[in-house]
Amino acid sequence: MIMQLEQIAKSFGGRTLFENVNFRLEEYDRLALVGANGAGKTTLLRIVSGQEDADAGRVVLAKGAHLGYLEQEAIEMADRAIFDEVMSSQVEIVEAERRLHALEAELGENPTEQQLAAAGRARDAYENLGGYTIESKVRAVMFGLGFKEGDLSRSTSEFSGGWQMRIALAKLLVRNPEVLLLDEPTNHLDLESVKWLEGFLRGYAGSIVVVSHDRDFMDNMVDRVAEIENGAVSLYKGNYSSYLKARDERIERLKVERKQQLEEIARLEAFVEKFRYKATKAKQAQDRARKAEKLKEELVAVPEERKTVHFNFKQPERTGDEVVIARGLTKRYGDHTVYDGVDFKMYRGDKIALVGPNGAGKSTLLKMVAGQLAPDAGTIAYGTKVSKTYYAQHQLDQLHPGNTVFEELDRVAPGWTISQVRSLLGAFLFHGDDVEKKVGVLSGGEKGRLALAKMLVAPRPLLCLDEPTNHLDISSADVLEQALQHFEGTILLITHDRHLIRGVANRIVEVVDGKITDYAGDYDYYLEKTGQIEAASAAPSAPSGAGKPSPAAKRDQASAPSSPSGYKSKEQKRREAEARNRAYAASKMQRKRIAELDKQLERDNARMAELLDMLADPSFYVNEDATSDVVAEHAKLKARIAAAEEEWFELNEEVEQEVARQQEGL
């Protein structure tokens, strides 16, 4: 045991965030802390870190263990070179180095034995603390987080808030505490840095508690999940996806248990009502009345259904087939050439994710396409009826400080009802009195969420989005993803959120060293083509649109040569590519049916939940005709879901077998 929470409770005013929180953190645990926005995740982290006091209970830390806490905001650091700032977190090493240098300076030409011994002990202490390797460790961490060698001597004050968060994260990782507490550590990282952080944390020699909205990050890193809901903390084994499955199963069990309790209460109360005035049955009636009251006290609480927000977002004006035509783009910053004569095209319906290492030029390309940055040479032309929207965290100048949050959205939503405006604001975490806040007092994250909501009221045909999910919780990110999936225009996107890329992108453009490589397929297709996953693992285990060609791919499919992949001979690569193409073509009908079944199961399961709610309500049984209809529908729907699930599994197996068969035929 490295840390234990005992009977922790916290309230604000009359609202209880959580109470009776008890759990242990074992050595090398990787724990995700999840819950709805406002559930108390950050508050619990602050209590554990000692930044805030609990109303009751205590946090017990193993002897000699140290905590390190990365907050979302409020980063303070000295105005000095960032390398020195990160090194300053190594207090013991810095002090040991100072002592060693002082003792060595005292040695002179004829040192005494005592002086030599003292200097030797100081050298040993410095070495044992890792002093001789600390500089290389600092560089490795900072390079992993996206800094370049030339950045290390720059002052901290030269960097934006997002980059200062990276500096704070570097200080924490280098300090190497036994327990890491990380509050949204990926918010200010790009995709490559997120991948590096995942690997670093998987191998970290300590325990980690993380709050994050990045599902892939949690899936790849954590082994336990603690959920805060209704004032309690529930623990689940496994990663985030395992938690979601286990949570749904737990809720279904609780629903069944509650339904049985309610049925028993109704049966007992019916007996009491019928026999309470009959002398021969009075005692039994009293016994059953007491039992019914006890059952009511022990009634199982079922977590509230997580509301899914659905909007019929207004679609943009239809554009011409060609949306962006860029030729010979050149862009330099001083002596550094980012692009030199690059061509780039976008077609109507393209949903392009820009990927590549930090500093490769993704944001530069996005800004040039969005009209925020002029190229030094080359041209950018836009198709018929193309207008564009650029979204980035720091591009929030169009918000009006004097408006309330409600007024700011309402002014761009003519014809919307008050309820519709409030619903969209609620989807982006503005609840209750939040909608009456003045825009001028909002935090940067709140302004970003409001700007996103405004963009979705009436989106333009070309959306250029730079890290749109920063400061969104998972439910709000789902609202954004839904909107972008159904968007009929064209999208150019940079994000570190791989779930969003998988859900939205139908074309991946990789930017490396000023060169762009186009992959006319989704994110898994890109990973396969670049050798980041094995070809066999790209076969769908769940419907996700894997391998779906983009509009550009459909035009070029007939004439485009096969792209080799892997690290084998050219002939072997060609045969493997042909095998994958044959597998893709052979399983086309199965994958289409899988997608249809996925939608059907979503609808049927939603209806099944409604029916179970009806059947759990004792008052529902008053109308016998209505009850019999619902019972019949329940039975029919249950059989339909079972048949659909069976077909879904069989089709997925056929797809996987086809991929394997084609591979074996090489």
Side-chain angles (χ1 to χ4, degrees):
M1 189 275 292
I2 195 74
M3 184 178 73
Q4 183 161 320
L5 277 64
E6 299 178 353
Q7 300 295 317
I8 300 293
K10 186 68 177 180
S11 299
F12 286 108
R15 180 179 172 232
T16 299
L17 278 182
F18 40 77
E19 57 186 351
N20 300 324
V21 175
N22 297 279
F23 69 83
R24 292 161 58 98
L25 190 68
E26 305 290 344
E27 234 180 344
Y28 310 119
D29 263 358
R30 305 288 186 265
L31 176 77
L33 192 58
V34 303
N37 185 65
K41 302 185 293 294
T42 294
T43 300
L44 187 56
L45 281 187
R46 289 178 61 81
I47 290 172
V48 172
S49 70
Q51 305 268 328
E52 195 167 317
D53 293 328
D55 296 338
R58 63 174 186 159
V59 178
V60 180
L61 199 62
K63 186 177 181 180
H66 298 89
L67 291 170
Y69 177 38
L70 179 75
E71 300 182 69
Q72 284 193 58
E73 308 289 349
I75 299 301
E76 294 183 7
M77 56 189 67
D79 186 6
R80 55 184 164 189
I82 62 170
F83 184 86
D84 295 336
E85 176 65 17
V86 175
M87 279 291 294
S88 72
S89 67
Q90 299 297 299
V91 178
E92 289 183 332
I93 292 179
V94 171
E95 178 58 28
E97 183 180 34
R98 186 199 62 76
R99 176 171 170 75
L100 174 60
H101 288 166
L103 290 170
E104 287 178 338
E106 292 175 2
L107 291 177
E109 294 182 3
N110 298 302
T112 66
E113 290 186 9
Q114 290 84 352
Q115 286 176 318
L116 288 170
R121 288 193 298 271
R123 273 192 295 273
D124 290 343
Y126 184 63
E127 182 178 4
N128 290 336
L129 288 169
Y132 291 110
T133 59
I134 188 61
E135 288 197 11
S136 61
K137 182 179 179 181
V138 169
R139 277 184 159 78
V141 169
M142 298 195 75
F143 295 160
L145 292 175
F147 293 97
K148 307 296 183 186
E149 180 66 40
D151 294 330
L152 303 189
S153 58
R154 293 172 59 193
S155 174
T156 56
S157 60
E158 296 179 39
F159 291 87
S160 67
W163 282 94
Q164 289 195 5
M165 288 294 296
R166 296 193 192 204
I167 297 170
L169 178 57
K171 290 172 65 176
L172 190 58
L173 298 181
V174 169
R175 187 154 60 86
N176 206 40
E178 284 77 11
V179 180
L180 272 178
L181 307 175
L182 305 175
D183 198 350
E184 297 289 3
T186 66
N187 250 0
H188 300 281
L189 302 182
D190 61 5
L191 181 53
E192 296 303 312
S193 298
V194 170
K195 290 179 180 178
W196 176 87
L197 182 61
E198 275 177 12
F200 183 94
L201 294 179
R202 279 199 298 267
Y204 187 75
S207 303
I208 300 168
V209 180
V210 62
V211 172
S212 178
H213 68 264
D214 189 325
R215 281 165 279 206
D216 280 46
F217 176 73
M218 289 189 284
D219 270 346
N220 294 334
M221 200 270 291
V222 308
D223 50 33
R224 286 206 298 160
V225 174
E227 179 192 52
I228 304 179
E229 187 170 47
N230 296 331
V233 172
S234 303
L235 289 170
Y236 296 83
K237 290 182 179 179
N239 62 12
Y240 185 76
S241 293
S242 299
Y243 145 73
L244 289 178
K245 183 179 179 182
R247 182 185 188 276
D248 288 344
E249 291 172 350
R250 173 173 166 263
I251 289 175
E252 287 305 313
R253 289 195 301 271
L254 291 175
K255 282 181 177 178
V256 170
E257 188 176 346
R258 183 181 176 88
K259 176 176 177 287
Q260 291 171 345
Q261 287 177 323
L262 291 170
E263 288 173 350
E264 178 65 7
I265 289 170
R267 187 183 67 80
L268 292 170
E269 289 181 337
F271 183 94
V272 171
E273 187 64 29
K274 185 174 183 180
F275 296 111
R276 74 166 65 197
Y277 301 114
K278 193 168 183 179
T280 57
K281 298 285 187 179
K283 187 176 183 305
Q284 293 95 318
Q286 289 173 358
D287 289 342
R288 282 165 173 76
R290 283 193 292 269
K291 189 175 180 181
E293 288 304 314
K294 187 177 180 182
L295 274 176
K296 288 178 183 178
E297 293 173 2
E298 298 172 351
L299 200 59
V300 169
V302 179
E304 289 183 11
E305 292 288 339
R306 291 180 176 175
K307 295 179 181 178
T308 302
V309 182
H310 292 287
F311 283 93
N312 294 317
F313 293 102
K314 182 180 178 182
Q315 294 299 335
E317 185 177 19
R318 185 178 175 86
T319 66
D321 191 42
E322 291 186 333
V323 175
V324 176
I325 309 98
R327 294 189 176 93
L329 291 184
T330 297
K331 187 64 187 177
R332 298 182 179 89
Y333 294 102
D335 296 332
H336 176 56
T337 299
V338 182
Y339 293 105
D340 188 7
V342 166
D343 295 335
F344 179 64
K345 272 191 175 184
M346 295 182 68
Y347 299 91
R348 185 182 67 248
D350 273 343
K351 296 178 180 179
I352 300 175
L354 296 177
V355 301
N358 180 66
K362 302 185 296 294
S363 290
T364 297
L365 180 58
L366 183 79
K367 289 176 183 177
M368 287 194 292
V369 170
Q372 300 293 309
L373 188 65
D376 296 330
T379 61
I380 300 178
Y382 301 94
T384 307
K385 296 183 179 179
V386 173
S387 59
K388 52 196 179 296
T389 295
Y390 173 62
Y391 174 84
Q393 286 293 315
H394 58 282
Q395 294 289 326
L396 307 175
D397 297 338
Q398 295 181 3
L399 299 176
H400 298 76
N403 284 343
T404 65
V405 169
F406 180 90
E407 290 167 345
E408 187 69 14
L409 185 62
D410 188 54
R411 63 192 291 272
V412 296
W416 280 40
T417 65
I418 292 175
S419 176
Q420 286 174 316
V421 174
R422 280 186 169 270
S423 294
L424 183 54
L425 287 172
F428 286 96
L429 313 184
F430 294 104
H431 303 289
D433 294 340
D434 291 343
V435 303
E436 299 304 325
K437 282 184 180 178
K438 292 290 186 181
V439 171
V441 303
L442 298 180
S443 67
E446 289 172 324
K447 288 179 179 177
R449 299 200 305 267
L450 181 57
L452 268 177
K454 285 183 64 177
M455 182 189 74
L456 294 176
V457 170
R460 294 178 179 177
L462 173 59
L463 300 182
C464 300
L465 310 176
D466 193 350
E467 295 291 358
T469 61
N470 276 1
H471 302 289
L472 298 186
D473 70 353
I474 289 176
S475 60
S476 297
D478 285 342
V479 174
L480 176 64
E481 182 181 331
Q482 171 212 336
L484 298 183
Q485 284 174 340
H486 293 91
F487 181 64
E488 295 174 4
T490 306
I491 298 170
L492 187 61
L493 169 74
I494 297 172
T495 181
H496 68 265
D497 189 335
R498 284 156 290 180
H499 187 87
L500 184 66
I501 296 177
R502 282 191 172 91
V504 173
N506 58 21
R507 183 177 159 197
I508 307 295
V509 171
E510 184 180 56
V511 182
V512 179
D513 296 330
K515 303 289 190 298
I516 63 174
T517 306
D518 203 334
Y519 295 88
D522 67 4
Y523 187 60
D524 287 327
Y525 174 84
Y526 157 74
L527 292 177
E528 179 188 335
K529 286 293 185 182
T530 54
Q532 297 182 53
I533 57 173
E534 293 295 329
S537 68
S541 59
S544 63
K548 181 182 177 182
S550 70
K554 293 176 183 176
R555 294 182 192 82
D556 301 337
Q557 202 167 35
S559 58
S562 298
S563 299
S565 64
Y567 299 94
K568 303 176 183 177
S569 69
K570 289 185 178 179
E571 179 60 20
Q572 180 66 11
K573 294 175 188 176
R574 182 187 63 77
R575 292 203 304 270
E576 288 179 348
E578 289 176 350
R580 285 193 298 274
N581 290 338
R582 288 195 299 272
Y584 184 91
S587 61
K588 183 176 181 180
M589 295 305 295
Q590 288 96 325
R591 287 182 290 100
K592 181 179 179 182
R593 177 59 180 158
I594 287 170
E596 292 171 352
L597 287 170
D598 212 36
K599 292 178 180 177
Q600 175 192 318
L601 284 167
E602 184 178 356
R603 292 192 301 269
D604 287 351
N605 282 317
R607 178 56 180 165
M608 177 64 79
E610 293 174 359
L611 295 178
L612 288 173
D613 284 344
M614 293 180 193
L615 293 171
D617 185 356
S619 64
F620 178 72
Y621 295 89
V622 174
N623 186 331
E624 293 185 3
D625 291 336
T627 301
S628 60
D629 289 344
V630 169
V631 170
E633 184 184 356
H634 175 269
K636 184 177 179 181
L637 193 58
K638 186 176 180 181
R640 174 183 161 98
I641 289 173
E645 287 177 340
E646 181 69 24
E647 184 182 359
W648 188 91
F649 282 114
E650 288 175 358
L651 289 170
N652 271 280
E653 193 170 325
E654 288 177 19
V655 172
E656 292 171 357
Q657 289 173 350
E658 182 60 31
V659 172
R661 189 177 69 80
Q662 294 294 345
Q663 292 295 328
E664 289 171 1
L666 292 178

